[in-house]
Amino acid sequence: MNVNSATECTDATWNPVTGCTKISRGCDRCYAERFAERWRAGPGRNYEQGFDLRLWPNRLDQPSRWRKPRKIFVNSMSDLFHREIERGFLDRIFDAMEQADWHRYQILTKRSSLMRNYLRGRYANGRAPSHIWYGVTVEDQRAADRIEHLRDAPAGEGFLSLEPLLGPLDALELRGISWVIADGESGPGARHLKKSLGSADP
Ligand code: SF4
């Protein structure tokens, strides 16, 4: 996830899942992948499996052990709606967030249709709890469908992360969106927004 700005708005990160696979060009320089792969094969370390997907059942009770209210970024080192996360485990993550409801959770995904489908199933009779916020990443116009998926989900507070912004976006329909974060790419080899207009390449 490119979550730099989003995590700056939180007090803590909680990673009941780590690891992911790339899904769109916004993933090309995934910070989480670079960080995790740096520690691959370090026995006993949190990232001995590198960026391979891994579930962490022993972390599920972390929010309930944090007694003071926090703004928690969920899965900064993965994507909560990755296809390979078992449905039962996803349910347990949501159970944990609903139980520890004195916190505010922020979930950011690129798998927006899977998020919508999951939330429709879980909250079939109403809207999701208001202490869980949902966002989608939109790095260019090709990813703009994610906004519709977010709007179609029974999610309370919706936000957009337009980062790394890699290309132009048509006029955005912001109905139902509470918060928008936008930034370019940074670091060595960063694709500058102006340079990438009309081109997917650096
Ligand atoms: S979805 Fe997020 S965590 Fe997964 S590869 Fe892409 S940027 Fe990285």
Side-chain angles (χ1 to χ4, degrees):
M1 216 32 57
N2 288 291
V3 295
N4 293 347
S5 303
T7 52
E8 281 170 15
C9 303
T10 58
D11 304 316
T13 55
W14 173 47
N15 283 291
V17 181
T18 56
C20 193
T21 49
K22 297 183 178 186
I23 188 170
S24 65
R25 70 183 193 133
C27 300
D28 289 349
R29 295 174 202 278
C30 173
Y31 160 83
E33 179 189 36
R34 275 186 280 137
F35 181 90
E37 286 300 332
R38 196 180 309 156
W39 300 106
R40 182 182 281 278
R45 291 182 182 271
N46 285 342
Y47 294 100
E48 61 184 338
Q49 70 291 330
F51 201 47
D52 302 344
L53 195 84
R54 177 170 173 178
L55 311 182
W56 295 86
N58 61 334
R59 295 179 181 178
L60 286 171
D61 66 348
Q62 236 169 3
S64 65
R65 287 192 277 109
W66 292 332
R67 301 311 302 172
K68 284 175 78 174
R70 297 183 182 192
K71 288 175 271 181
I72 299 174
F73 197 93
V74 182
N75 265 7
S76 61
M77 298 299 289
S78 182
D79 187 326
L80 189 61
F81 295 97
H82 194 286
R83 275 188 194 282
E84 290 175 22
I85 299 175
E86 298 153 16
R87 169 70 187 240
F89 195 73
L90 195 52
D91 287 342
R92 292 174 68 191
I93 293 171
F94 272 80
D95 291 346
M97 291 191 289
E98 290 173 11
Q99 186 189 345
D101 62 1
W102 52 92
H103 301 303
R104 192 183 79 200
Y105 301 89
Q106 289 171 207
I107 299 170
L108 181 61
T109 187
K110 289 186 173 71
R111 274 111 175 149
S112 50
S113 62
L114 297 180
M115 175 184 74
R116 176 201 58 199
N117 297 347
Y118 179 80
L119 295 180
R120 279 179 175 174
R122 188 170 183 97
Y123 302 112
N125 296 326
R127 298 189 71 79
S130 59
H131 67 289
I132 308 176
W133 292 14
Y134 300 89
V136 294
T137 304
V138 180
E139 66 267 27
D140 59 21
Q141 188 59 36
R142 278 176 280 187
D145 285 354
R146 295 173 188 158
I147 304 174
E148 280 310 310
H149 298 156
L150 174 61
R151 221 190 319 271
D152 289 346
E157 295 284 344
F159 65 95
L160 303 183
S161 172
L162 312 182
E163 60 177 347
L165 192 54
L166 299 174
L169 293 168
D170 295 343
L172 291 179
E173 164 62 82
L174 296 178
R175 181 174 41 87
I177 303 298
S178 306
W179 177 32
V180 178
I181 308 159
D183 205 353
E185 198 166 59
S186 59
R191 294 164 287 182
H192 298 295
L193 179 57
K194 192 173 175 190
K195 206 172 176 181
S196 51
L197 290 175
S199 165
D201 302 319

